[in-house]
């Protein structure tokens, strides 16, 4: 350091050599600027400035400039050099060392794109409508015989109206002895089951919460959806509350089976938005923040999201919820039969729905449909095979359910069956589905 200081002092204070060529003087100026004196140990955070008395006398460096250059040019360059030295000294006083210089870095505000701002706004506006549902079941301790309530699952749901009705999936609340609903502000309420529809995997709960804490979700329309349309899913995957995932509509009019009854659910929305365990019952929204579906299932061998999720369309959900709120149940018409699996009928080389059982007190039994039975020798005698209803062809059980979903309780339908080698048309009056416990 002493060598460096002496070198710097030599650069500034050494006697003036004979005037070098003009281009050499500029290089010498650069050397002087780059080899400024290094501060000693006692002055690591300060830079000594010349006292007023010292500044009154002309310094050797400007005198050399005046010697090297013409009067006017030397005076201008000398003034500029002095300003440069003062500026460097001021910067050293402000910044100190390199470690403290980072404190002066000011981060610019984050700028979001228009689509990002729209997504953030959608999440903030709809999050208060999404709830977290905990399914509690009664368990008895094997040693103490104490009865305890333990969580057996969780899911999502959303506020339907200001009366405290909450819509979710049936499989979220299935087998629960007690249900608890957590709102966005983390307040917890006991929930009562209003009604459910196992066939469509829809359930309605009710909580007694102040109306100012209930924000119903805006309901949209699912009839005019298009493949490629952007969608958003809000839910509680793996218990992580209020998680947003985005994607597009990958397909429309899909068909899945109800987890409870195996009955097909038609016109299901397929999306690649990540839907994981815990997302069930949560809303699927369009880019305007309107409800277009209820997330219900995923197709995944591992049980985690694999880019194929399914949502029940809001047009289907709306009608079911209205019935559940008014009547506590869904009055869906039935034929009152039990039929064979589709694979069994295919193995027989037939097409249609094979009637295994038609109870005498059911609609089909009253109309005279015949069940499958065995004769006195144990041989199997096939029952009626339903081939069409009201002129619409029936090839499997899904076709039959699809037709019945379009019918009403008390409606008379014409069922065409294959009995032996003969085809017969039998009128049947549809009856409501028995109450489910």
């Amino acid at each position: 350091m002493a060598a460096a200081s002496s070198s710097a002092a030599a650069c500034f204070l050494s006697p003036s050599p004979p005037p070098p060529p003009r281009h050499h003087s500029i290089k010498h100026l650069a050397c002087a600027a780059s080899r400024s004196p290094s501060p000693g140990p006692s002055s690591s955070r300060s830079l000594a400035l010349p006292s007023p008395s010292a500044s009154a006398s002309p310094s050797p460096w400007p005198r050399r400039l005046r010697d090297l250059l013409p009067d006017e040019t030397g005076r201008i360059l000398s003034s500029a050099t002095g300003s440069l030295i003062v500026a460097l000294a001021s910067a050293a006083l402000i910044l100190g060392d390199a470690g403290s210089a980072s404190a002066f870095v000011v981060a610019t505000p984050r700028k979001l794109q228009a689509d990002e701002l729209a997504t953030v706004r959608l999440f903030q506006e709809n999050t208060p409508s999404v709830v977290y549902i905990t399914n509690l079941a009664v368990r008895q301790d094997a040693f103490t015989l104490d009865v305890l309530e333990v969580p057996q699952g969780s899911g999502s749901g959303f506020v339907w109206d200001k009366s405290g009705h909450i819509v979710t999936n049936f499989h979220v609340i299935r087998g629960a002895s007690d249900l608890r609903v957590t709102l966005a502000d983390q307040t917890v309420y006991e929930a009562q089951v209003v009604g459910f529809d196992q066939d469509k995997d829809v359930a309605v709960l009710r909580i007694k919460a102040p109306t100012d804490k209930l924000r119903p979700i805006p309901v949209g329309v699912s009839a005019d959806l298009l493949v490629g349309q952007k969608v958003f899913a809000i839910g509680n995957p793996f218990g992580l509350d209020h998680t947003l995932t985005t994607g597009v509509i990958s397909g429309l009019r899909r068909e899945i089976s109800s987890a409870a009854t195996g009955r097909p659910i038609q016109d299901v929305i397929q999306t690649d938005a990540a839907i994981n365990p815990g997302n069930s019952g949560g809303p699927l929204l369009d880019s305007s923040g309107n409800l277009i579906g209820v997330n219900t299932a995923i197709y995944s061998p591992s049980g985690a999201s694999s880019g194929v999720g399914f949502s029940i369309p809001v047009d289907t959900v709306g009608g079911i919820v209205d019935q559940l709120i008014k009547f506590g149940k869904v009055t869906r018409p039935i034929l009152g039969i039990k039929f064979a699996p589709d694979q069994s009928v295919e193995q027989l080389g037939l097409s249609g729905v094979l009637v295994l059982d038609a109870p005498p007190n059911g609609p089909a039994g009253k109309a005279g449909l015949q069940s499958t039975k065995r004769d006195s020798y144990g041989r199997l005698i096939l029952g009626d095979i339903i081939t069409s209803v009201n002129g619409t062809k029936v090839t499997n059980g899904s076709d039959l359910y699809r037709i019945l979903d379009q019918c009403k309780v008390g409606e008379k339908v014409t069922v065409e069956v294959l009995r032996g080698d003969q085809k017969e048309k039998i009128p049947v009056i549809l009856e409501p589905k028995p109450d489910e416990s």
Side-chain angles (χ1 to χ4, degrees):
M1 181 175 294
S5 300
S6 62
S7 175
C11 188
F12 276 94
L13 304 177
S14 60
S16 301
R22 186 175 302 273
H23 66 274
H24 181 70
S25 65
I26 298 176
K27 185 182 296 183
H28 191 73
L29 175 63
C31 171
S34 63
R35 293 190 293 169
S36 57
S38 302
S42 62
S43 60
S44 59
R45 294 185 178 271
S46 64
L47 180 64
L49 295 177
S51 63
S53 61
S55 63
S57 62
S59 62
W61 178 250
R63 189 163 56 245
R64 288 187 57 199
L65 289 175
R66 293 191 185 98
D67 294 340
L68 296 173
L69 301 173
D71 294 341
E72 187 65 27
T73 306
R75 185 164 52 253
I76 295 174
L77 188 53
S78 174
S79 176
T81 306
S83 301
L84 175 62
I85 294 174
V86 172
L88 291 174
S90 302
L93 286 172
I94 293 173
L95 297 179
D97 54 10
S100 62
S102 60
F104 293 88
V105 177
V106 179
T108 57
R110 183 178 297 278
K111 294 182 179 180
L112 301 179
Q113 300 297 324
D115 61 333
E116 293 177 309
L117 289 173
T119 301
V120 171
R121 190 178 303 111
L122 180 144
F123 178 73
Q124 293 174 346
E125 292 178 353
N126 289 278
T127 293
S129 302
V130 182
V131 302
Y132 180 58
I133 300 174
T134 305
N135 182 334
L136 301 174
V138 174
R139 295 288 186 269
Q140 188 175 31
D141 189 274
F143 298 99
T144 64
L145 301 181
D146 292 337
V147 177
L148 305 173
E149 276 190 340
V150 295
Q152 68 172 356
S154 63
S156 308
F158 52 88
V159 180
W160 184 259
D161 55 27
K162 285 285 188 178
S163 300
H165 291 110
I166 308 295
V167 177
T168 185
N169 286 143
F170 169 72
H171 73 262
V172 171
I173 68 167
R174 187 178 187 180
S177 61
D178 194 10
L179 294 166
R180 292 175 186 170
V181 173
T182 305
L183 300 182
D185 61 357
Q186 301 304 313
T187 54
V188 181
Y189 296 92
E190 298 288 335
Q192 302 296 325
V193 178
V194 175
F196 53 84
D197 183 4
Q198 297 186 37
D199 294 334
K200 301 300 181 183
D201 199 19
V202 177
V204 176
L205 312 178
R206 187 174 185 179
I207 59 175
K208 295 181 180 179
T211 55
D212 59 339
K213 289 191 174 185
L214 298 173
R215 184 183 295 184
I217 198 165
V219 180
V221 179
S222 59
D224 57 353
L225 296 178
L226 300 173
V227 174
Q229 183 176 335
K230 199 169 184 179
V231 292
F232 305 84
I234 302 178
N236 306 282
F238 305 107
L240 303 173
D241 61 337
H242 298 101
T243 300
L244 172 70
T245 56
T246 65
V248 297
I249 295 178
S250 306
L252 295 170
R253 297 176 179 84
R254 298 291 193 247
E255 182 177 294
I256 62 175
S257 298
S258 169
T261 65
R263 187 164 180 163
I265 306 174
Q266 293 89 21
D267 298 328
V268 172
I269 303 168
Q270 179 185 334
T271 176
D272 67 346
I275 298 176
N276 289 289
N279 273 114
S280 294
L284 186 71
L285 309 172
D286 61 13
S287 56
S288 299
N290 296 322
L291 177 70
I292 58 173
V294 179
N295 301 321
T296 185
I298 57 174
Y299 179 80
S300 172
S302 64
S305 176
S306 60
V308 182
F310 299 101
S311 298
I312 306 172
V314 68
D315 292 348
T316 301
V317 173
I320 295 173
V321 171
D322 290 342
Q323 289 192 57
L324 292 176
I325 292 176
K326 290 180 181 179
F327 309 110
K329 62 180 181 179
V330 176
T331 55
R332 184 172 289 113
I334 60 170
L335 272 177
I337 63 170
K338 293 181 180 179
F339 55 87
D342 296 334
Q343 297 84 351
S344 300
V345 180
E346 292 175 358
Q347 291 175 357
L348 295 174
L350 301 173
S351 176
V353 172
L354 174 61
V355 179
L356 293 180
D357 186 24
N361 58 345
K366 294 176 182 177
L369 267 72
Q370 296 184 0
S371 305
T372 299
K373 53 188 178 181
R374 295 184 181 274
D375 60 11
S376 56
Y377 296 99
R379 293 175 297 187
L380 189 67
I381 301 176
L382 298 180
D384 291 337
I385 299 175
I386 301 175
T387 57
S388 71
V389 176
N390 283 345
T392 303
K393 186 177 181 180
V394 175
T395 58
N396 50 44
S398 296
D399 292 342
L400 180 61
Y401 281 130
R402 190 178 297 109
I403 296 171
L404 293 177
D405 284 342
Q406 300 172 356
C407 300
K408 298 179 180 180
V409 175
E411 181 179 348
K412 179 184 288 187
V413 296
T414 301
V415 179
E416 183 174 341
V417 300
L418 178 64
R419 183 175 294 173
D421 296 331
Q422 304 293 325
K423 286 188 176 183
E424 298 186 16
K425 293 183 178 181
I426 304 173
V428 179
I429 299 177
L430 301 178
E431 296 182 4
K433 189 175 183 179
D435 294 340
E436 300 157 332
S437 58

